[in-house]
Amino acid sequence: MHTFRVFQRFVRPGAVVLDAGGWIGSTALWLAERARKVVVLEPGDRAFEELLLHVAQNPTRRSRLSLLRAALGPKRGLVQMTNRGDSADQVGVFDRQEGILSSVFGINDLLYAFPELEDVSFIKIDVEGSERDIIPAMTDFLRRKRPVMLLSIHPHALMDDELSKLIGELRALCPQLYSFHWNMSRWWLRDFQFTYRQIVAMPEVADPADDALCTWEPLPADALQVDDE
């Protein structure tokens, strides 16, 4: 999977990482094997309960994980969200049957709560459409800290104008912006090209077609050709 190839390539031993949209912990636990500190945000009650369970089953990594039941957003507050427990839960969506109120932390709130994020070198954001609000709110922070950022873009959760605005903001922010291409049984990087495909629901399997990798230095196309660990 391209996500873990990116982790292998860019998360160095001793790194500080922000995992926004941690879900049940599959990425956070991998990151905590290598990083010094992983700050994990997951706003859904059901997913957060599973996250806690999985972390408890991995005690050697627990000390390197800071877990927060909250969403990353433009500023501190509360927001409605779905709470099915699957990876498609969305912040800002009202669900009459299973909806909850979740806390929202802006990046400055996170810096106050977790000062180690001043040394962040890698950020993973997978937030089911909330990227439209997060990226503009974090622009100054990202330019100042220059972390590598892996961003999942969710066309099914965004209006056409929101999508176009987000792509423009990413192009303005990132000196180097890449997408992922599977060829000859390997993952390759290429200059970011958004597909603008029509998607009305979240794909049933992980789909990297519209994921973006933001870096501050140019990378070769074979940058993800790392040894398996």
Side-chain angles (χ1 to χ4, degrees):
M1 186 177 179
H2 73 292
T3 299
F4 296 99
R5 287 286 178 178
V6 172
F7 292 172
Q8 286 177 287
R9 173 64 173 80
F10 295 105
V11 179
R12 305 299 185 192
V16 175
V17 176
L18 174 61
D19 185 351
W23 192 36
I24 61 174
S26 54
T27 54
L29 286 166
W30 193 102
L31 292 164
E33 178 67 19
R34 179 174 295 193
R36 167 168 58 93
K37 176 62 68 175
V38 184
V39 177
V40 187
L41 278 74
E42 171 50 52
D45 281 345
R46 292 186 178 181
F48 193 77
E49 288 174 3
E50 288 195 60
L51 171 61
L52 291 175
L53 176 63
H54 293 154
V55 169
Q57 294 169 345
N58 292 268
T60 59
R61 306 181 197 189
R62 178 64 186 92
S63 64
R64 296 191 289 276
L65 289 160
S66 294
L67 311 178
L68 184 64
R69 197 192 77 75
L72 180 60
K75 61 181 180 180
R76 186 74 179 268
L78 295 171
V79 68
Q80 291 180 328
M81 68 170 292
T82 62
N83 189 41
R84 297 179 299 271
D86 60 29
S87 61
D89 274 327
Q90 286 182 261
V91 168
V93 175
F94 176 70
D95 186 328
R96 187 180 299 276
Q97 293 182 328
E98 298 186 90
I100 60 170
L101 272 181
S102 177
S103 296
V104 180
F105 275 58
I107 189 60
N108 289 331
D109 304 305
L110 283 181
L111 288 170
Y112 182 80
F114 306 104
E116 51 267 70
L117 285 175
E118 292 287 356
D119 298 323
V120 69
S121 60
F122 187 88
I123 296 177
K124 186 219 90 182
I125 300 177
D126 187 356
V127 290
E128 307 306 317
S130 293
E131 58 268 20
R132 67 176 173 266
D133 304 313
I134 291 172
I135 295 303
M138 289 183 65
T139 293
D140 289 345
F141 173 80
L142 294 169
R143 284 181 174 148
R144 181 162 53 91
K145 296 301 180 182
R146 296 165 64 93
V148 173
M149 179 176 67
L150 176 61
L151 174 69
S152 293
I153 302 173
H154 300 83
H156 66 280
L158 300 172
M159 303 293 289
D160 288 347
D161 60 335
E162 293 174 330
L163 207 46
S164 295
K165 184 171 182 289
L166 174 64
I167 299 306
E169 289 165 343
L170 286 172
R171 293 192 184 282
L173 168 66
C174 303
Q176 309 295 328
L177 191 63
Y178 299 99
S179 55
F180 301 92
H181 177 58
W182 178 253
N183 188 35
M184 297 185 295
S185 300
R186 294 187 176 188
W187 286 109
W188 303 83
L189 295 178
R190 61 185 178 188
D191 289 342
F192 184 77
Q193 296 176 347
F194 193 72
T195 64
Y196 288 98
R197 57 200 176 137
Q198 297 297 312
I199 298 178
V200 296
M202 179 179 176
E204 293 184 3
V205 296
D207 184 351
D210 294 317
D211 284 2
L213 181 69
C214 175
T215 70
W216 304 88
E217 301 293 340
L219 298 171
D222 63 352
L224 300 186
Q225 310 309 315
V226 294
D227 294 333
D228 291 320
E229 298 182 2

